[in-house]
Amino acid sequence: MGRLVLSHFLTVSTASSPRLASSLCAGGFRIRQWKAPTSIPQIWLQSARNAGGFRCCCSVSLSQPAAPETSPSSVKRRIVSGVQPTGSIHLGNYLGAIRNWILLQNTYDTLFFIVDLHAITLPYDAQKLSKATRDTAALYLACGVDTSKASVFVQSHVRAHAEMMWLLSSVTPVGWLNRMIQFKEKSRKAGDENVGVGLLTYPVLMASDILLYQSDFVPVGEDQKQHLELTRELAERVNHLFGGRKWKKLGGRGGSIFKVPEALIPPVGARVMSLTDGLSKMSKSAPSDQSRINLLDPKDVISNKIKRCKTDSFSGMEFDNPERPECNNLLSIYQLVSEKTKEEVAQECRDMNWGTFKSVLSDALIDHLHPIQVRYEEIISDSAYLDGILAEGAKTAAGIADNTLTNAYQAMGFLRR
């Protein structure tokens, strides 16, 4: 997700061919802390929080275990996740978010999509949008999205997203949008005269992205809680205004039109920091590319970035020393890519100098990213394969989204098509 947006997951399954598969406390809703069940892999608990440069557009809060025990015949809960096709996906995105979402596909019905409609809310290069969309999808697959368990599609390929956004916009109070912190921050940077209406209303599109699929849970970062809670408020508002008996009188089934999603906020996780400042998150928006390791960086570039990264004058290597943020960051990265325990890394690197450790870290990064880079090249070079995955994903998604959209049209009093 370039700029990673939204986080929702959905049901998708294709037996044979591979497929790729963003809560506001002011609204009166309480985000409940998720207690991790034993069935979630430990690596997910180690690295779940760092969305890095990802911009999550949707999410939801867990009132139930993230991996509930289910029988073979039971219906899996649904999670949806989307990513903006802008910027380069970097190590922080991967270790803090993508790898964890991939693990979730083993427990949930999952759906990943490329949120290209969100990508145009700020100035962008139209000549690059299409390629960036394909690149993002290919990289997700290369990172391990199992197309027999999850599905992938492009947001603009499912027209229900835009239609649902208009329906929700008609019932969204402007005051709700004016309080969105990210809009205030981004509009200030862009200059109020240059800000498009889409930047103000894109949280409504994010809500549409989630509600269309009757999502149960949405993985969400701290910066996206407000957007998720807006989604929850909108779902409750529409259900109150048009659901229940009012809908039934119009010939509908009655009850709730939308499921109110819950935020999945893991308690711990990897927070990968900048290579040039151990106190700042690794981000694709940072002016210097030297501050991050991009997933597609060649080996010599990776080695050079690690050699030049910021260090300190202390001897030896150690975790959790507040005076050594860069040391802690680099050790944490090594722990994650080597898949060793914190204790093992502490013992191994305790007496190393910076030169030796940087060499070890570079080798571990190169070895870990090499299979992803190879697989990416295979996927991106096979246009028919990738197009097939995206088309199949859009077809599956449309089947679910159109049903929700039809119910919303009916409950809101529209003449049946």
Side-chain angles (χ1 to χ4, degrees):
M1 256 185 219
R3 271 189 302 177
L4 281 162
V5 176
L6 305 154
S7 262
H8 4 337
F9 291 64
L10 197 154
T11 309
V12 164
S13 62
T14 296
S16 55
S17 65
R19 305 183 309 178
L20 176 67
S22 176
S23 143
L24 175 94
C25 296
F29 290 97
R30 200 162 42 104
I31 298 292
R32 290 171 287 242
Q33 185 67 26
W34 170 49
K35 295 184 179 179
T38 56
S39 54
I40 290 292
Q42 186 60 30
I43 186 66
W44 189 67
L45 298 180
Q46 292 173 340
S47 59
R49 263 201 192 163
N50 184 48
F54 287 24
R55 213 179 66 183
C56 259
C57 284
C58 322
S59 57
V60 215
S61 152
L62 269 196
S63 59
Q64 309 223 4
E69 304 228 350
T70 58
S71 65
S73 61
S74 64
V75 177
K76 287 185 177 181
R77 294 176 186 272
R78 191 175 288 165
I79 296 179
V80 187
S81 179
V83 178
Q84 281 196 38
T86 52
S88 297
I89 294 180
H90 55 67
L91 194 67
N93 302 146
Y94 169 64
L95 294 177
I98 298 178
R99 190 163 66 166
N100 308 312
W101 296 342
I102 290 168
L103 291 171
L104 289 175
Q105 72 188 351
N106 297 319
T107 304
Y108 296 94
D109 286 325
T110 57
L111 183 150
F112 298 84
F113 54 104
I114 315 304
V115 292
D116 54 343
L117 294 176
H118 287 283
I120 67 172
T121 57
L122 289 171
Y124 71 102
D125 188 338
Q127 301 299 320
K128 297 180 180 180
L129 181 59
S130 178
K131 182 181 184 304
T133 299
R134 295 175 60 83
D135 287 349
T136 302
L139 200 46
Y140 262 48
L141 287 168
C143 284
V145 170
D146 186 340
T147 56
S148 69
K149 301 175 182 178
S151 180
V152 165
F153 67 97
V154 178
Q155 182 187 29
S156 63
H157 292 181
V158 178
R159 297 184 177 183
H161 287 260
E163 292 189 52
M164 183 62 78
M165 180 195 178
W166 182 253
L167 296 184
L168 293 183
S169 294
S170 70
V171 297
T172 303
V174 174
W176 290 12
L177 298 179
N178 285 335
R179 73 189 183 194
M180 295 292 106
I181 296 173
Q182 285 201 358
F183 169 72
K184 295 177 182 178
E185 294 176 345
K186 293 180 182 299
S187 61
R188 190 182 306 117
K189 290 179 181 179
D192 292 338
E193 293 182 358
N194 298 318
V195 172
V197 174
L199 185 61
L200 176 64
T201 61
Y202 90 82
V204 182
L205 178 56
M206 286 193 291
S208 301
D209 296 333
I210 301 171
L211 300 180
L212 272 174
Y213 300 103
Q214 305 294 345
S215 307
D216 292 288
F217 305 125
V218 181
V220 57
E222 292 295 323
D223 61 339
Q224 289 298 320
K225 285 182 181 179
Q226 195 179 37
H227 290 149
L228 172 59
E229 203 54 50
L230 175 67
T231 299
R232 291 168 53 83
E233 289 182 324
L234 281 174
E236 295 280 13
R237 183 177 176 85
V238 172
N239 288 341
H240 173 71
L241 290 175
F242 304 106
R245 295 181 179 179
K246 299 173 186 176
W247 183 15
K248 201 162 188 177
K249 288 180 179 179
L250 293 173
R253 61 172 169 78
S256 297
I257 302 166
F258 298 126
K259 181 176 290 187
V260 181
E262 301 258 345
L264 193 158
I265 306 175
V268 294
R271 183 178 173 85
V272 180
M273 312 306 282
S274 166
L275 298 181
T276 57
D277 180 3
L279 297 177
S280 299
K281 284 197 304 183
M282 186 175 287
S283 171
K284 64 179 177 295
S285 63
S288 173
D289 190 60
Q290 176 65 32
S291 67
R292 56 190 169 265
I293 299 291
N294 302 305
L295 294 195
L296 298 179
D297 279 345
K299 358 174 132 173
D300 59 335
V301 173
I302 294 175
S303 295
N304 185 53
K305 286 182 176 181
I306 295 301
K307 284 180 181 178
R308 297 174 57 192
C309 71
K310 184 179 179 181
T311 58
D312 56 44
S313 58
F314 292 83
S315 60
M317 311 298 296
E318 60 181 329
F319 282 103
D320 304 325
N321 185 335
E323 296 182 16
R324 308 186 65 186
E326 287 78 22
C327 182
N328 185 72
N329 181 46
L330 296 176
L331 281 174
S332 297
I333 292 174
Y334 178 56
Q335 176 194 340
L336 292 168
V337 299
S338 66
E339 298 186 355
K340 297 179 180 181
T341 66
K342 187 174 182 178
E343 293 72 23
E344 288 172 334
V345 171
Q347 179 65 28
E348 175 189 356
C349 305
R350 181 178 56 189
D351 299 323
M352 287 185 182
N353 58 39
W354 277 111
T356 302
F357 174 70
K358 284 185 175 183
S359 178
V360 170
L361 176 57
S362 294
D363 290 343
L365 279 168
I366 291 169
D367 289 345
H368 189 89
L369 295 181
H370 179 68
I372 294 175
Q373 295 174 348
V374 171
R375 181 60 180 148
Y376 166 82
E377 292 298 337
E378 293 173 349
I379 295 169
I380 204 66
S381 64
D382 190 341
S383 298
Y385 169 69
L386 185 55
D387 288 345
I389 288 175
L390 296 177
E392 182 182 6
K395 181 178 179 180
T396 302
I400 302 168
D402 288 348
N403 183 62
T404 302
L405 182 63
T406 295
N407 288 339
Y409 271 129
Q410 182 185 48
M412 294 177 73
F414 286 83
L415 180 65
R416 189 169 183 172
R417 301 186 189 190

